[in-house]
C-alpha cells in the first residue's frame, strides 16, 4: 500500500487531494499481485457449473423424483463434457494414415502393386526383360503385403519372402520359389532375363491374386 505522508512524529498525516488519491489507487491496483489473484476463465466456468447445480438441487421438490433423476443425470453429463473440453480441448477426429510401404529386397521402393505391374508391363513392351522381371516380382510381393498376407521383416530376401508366401498360400509354393530364383538371377547374378521368365512371374502374380480371392470366398458365410 502507498504510505501516507507524515510531517513529523506525532503530527497529523497529510491527506492527498482527490487527484492524488486517484493516482495512488490506480498505482496500487496496477500491482501484479492483484491481477494474479483474479479468477481465470476456467475458474469462472467451473463456478458457473457449480452455481447451476446448486440451484438445481436447491429447487423445491414435490411429487415423484423419477423425472428429476433424468434431469440431474443429463446435467451431470453435460457438466462433465464442459469441464473436459475446458481442460483437454475439443477432441480431434482420428485420421487413419496409410502406412508407408516397406522396402522390398534391399530397395526402398514405395510404389504400389498396381504401379509396379504397370511399369513392369511397360518394360516388357520395350523388351527390357531384366527390368520387367524385377518389377513384376516386386509387384507380386507388394500385392501380398498390401493385403496383409505376408508381413516380411526388414531385409527379407526374395527367397525368404517366397517361403513365407507359400506357408500362407500353399498354392504359391513352387511358382514362388521359381519366381524368386529368376529375380535373384537377374538382380544379383547378372544373368539376362527372358520373356519366358517374365511370363512365369506374371502367372505367379496372377495366381496370388486369385488365391487371395478364393481364400476370402472360402471363409465367407
Amino acid at each position: 500500500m502507498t504510505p501516507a505522508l507524515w510531517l513529523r512524529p506525532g503530527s497529523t498525516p497529510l491527506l492527498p487531494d482527490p487527484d492524488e488519491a486517484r493516482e495512488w489507487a490506480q498505482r496500487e491496483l496496477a500491482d501484479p499481485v492483484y491481477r494474479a489473484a483474479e479468477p481465470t476463465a476456467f475458474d469462472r466456468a467451473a463456478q458457473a457449473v457449480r452455481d447451476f447445480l446448486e440451484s438445481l438441487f436447491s429447487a423445491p421438490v414435490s411429487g415423484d423424483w423419477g423425472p428429476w433423476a433424468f434431469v440431474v443425470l443429463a446435467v451431470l453429463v453435460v457438466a462433465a463434457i464442459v469441464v473436459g473440453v475446458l481442460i483437454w480441448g475439443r477432441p480431434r477426429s482420428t485420421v487413419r494414415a496409410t502406412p508407408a510401404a516397406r522396402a522390398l529386397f534391399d530397395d526402398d521402393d514405395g510404389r504400389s502393386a498396381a504401379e509396379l505391374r504397370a511399369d513392369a508391363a511397360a518394360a516388357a513392351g520395350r523388351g527390357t526383360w531384366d527390368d520387367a522381371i524385377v518389377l513384376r516380382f516386386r509387384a507380386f510381393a507388394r500385392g501380398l503385403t498390401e493385403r496383409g498376407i505376408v508381413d516380411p521383416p526388414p531385409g527379407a530376401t526374395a527367397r525368404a519372402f517366397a517361403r513365407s508366401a507359400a506357408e500362407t498360400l500353399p498354392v504359391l509354393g513352387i511358382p514362388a520359389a521359381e519366381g524368386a530364383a529368376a529375380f535373384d538371377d537377374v538382380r544379383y547374378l547378372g544373368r539376362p532375363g527372358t520373356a519366358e521368365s517374365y511370363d512365369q512371374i506374371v502367372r505367379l502374380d496372377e495366381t496370388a491374386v486369385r488365391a487371395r480371392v478364393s481364400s476370402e470366398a472360402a471363409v465367407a458365410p
Side-chain angles (χ1 to χ4, degrees), residues 41-56 75 79 82-83 86:
F42 175 79
D43 295 333
R44 289 191 291 269
Q47 183 61 44
V49 173
R50 285 197 298 269
D51 294 343
F52 179 74
L53 291 176
E54 290 176 1
S55 64
L56 177 65
V75 170
V82 171
V83 173
L86 290 174

Side-chain angles (χ1 to χ4, degrees), residues 24-35 38:
W24 290 0
Q26 291 175 349
R27 189 182 309 146
E28 181 67 22
L29 292 176
D31 193 319
V33 174
Y34 291 96
R35 291 196 297 271
E38 294 180 357

Side-chain angles (χ1 to χ4, degrees), residues 2 17 36 44 136 210 215:
T2 303
D17 59 30
R44 289 191 291 269
R136 192 61 188 236
R210 288 195 300 269
S215 65

Side-chain angles (χ1 to χ4, degrees), residues 7-81:
L7 292 175
R8 61 178 176 272
S11 63
T12 303
L14 293 177
L15 297 178
D17 59 30
D19 292 336
E20 290 178 339
R22 183 168 53 255
E23 181 182 353
W24 290 0
Q26 291 175 349
R27 189 182 309 146
E28 181 67 22
L29 292 176
D31 193 319
V33 174
Y34 291 96
R35 291 196 297 271
E38 294 180 357
T40 63
F42 175 79
D43 295 333
R44 289 191 291 269
Q47 183 61 44
V49 173
R50 285 197 298 269
D51 294 343
F52 179 74
L53 291 176
E54 290 176 1
S55 64
L56 177 65
F57 285 107
S58 62
V61 179
S62 61
D64 189 5
W65 260 89
W68 277 100
F70 289 106
V71 172
V72 171
L73 179 61
V75 170
L76 291 177
V77 171
V78 172
I81 293 174

Side-chain angles (χ1 to χ4, degrees), residues 190-212:
R191 295 173 180 171
T194 63
E196 291 75 13
S197 296
Y198 173 73
D199 291 339
Q200 179 186 23
I201 297 178
V202 169
R203 290 192 297 271
L204 167 65
D205 188 21
E206 292 173 348
T207 301
V209 174
R210 288 195 300 269
R212 176 60 175 171

Side-chain angles (χ1 to χ4, degrees), residues 48-220:
V49 173
R50 285 197 298 269
D51 294 343
F52 179 74
L53 291 176
E54 290 176 1
S55 64
L56 177 65
F57 285 107
S58 62
V61 179
S62 61
D64 189 5
W65 260 89
W68 277 100
F70 289 106
V71 172
V72 171
L73 179 61
V75 170
L76 291 177
V77 171
V78 172
I81 293 174
V82 171
V83 173
V85 170
L86 290 174
I87 296 176
W88 294 290
R90 188 174 62 181
R92 299 178 181 179
S93 58
T94 303
V95 179
R96 290 187 177 181
T98 303
R102 290 186 181 180
L104 288 175
F105 321 131
D106 301 325
D107 191 353
D108 190 9
D109 192 334
R111 283 175 288 183
S112 67
E115 291 171 336
L116 288 167
R117 291 187 186 106
D119 293 342
R126 298 190 300 268
T128 53
W129 301 114
D130 292 0
D131 293 340
I133 289 171
V134 169
L135 290 171
R136 192 61 188 236
F137 190 83
R138 290 188 187 281
F140 155 74
R142 181 69 72 203
L144 293 181
T145 58
E146 287 176 349
R147 297 177 179 89
I149 297 177
V150 180
D151 185 18
T157 64
R159 294 178 187 270
F161 187 94
R163 288 193 296 270
S164 297
E167 291 174 359
T168 306
L169 296 174
V171 69
L172 301 179
I174 296 176
E178 293 176 346
F183 175 88
D184 286 345
D185 286 347
V186 170
R187 185 80 169 88
Y188 301 111
L189 301 180
R191 295 173 180 171
T194 63
E196 291 75 13
S197 296
Y198 173 73
D199 291 339
Q200 179 186 23
I201 297 178
V202 169
R203 290 192 297 271
L204 167 65
D205 188 21
E206 292 173 348
T207 301
V209 174
R210 288 195 300 269
R212 176 60 175 171
V213 172
S214 299
S215 65
E216 289 177 348
V219 298

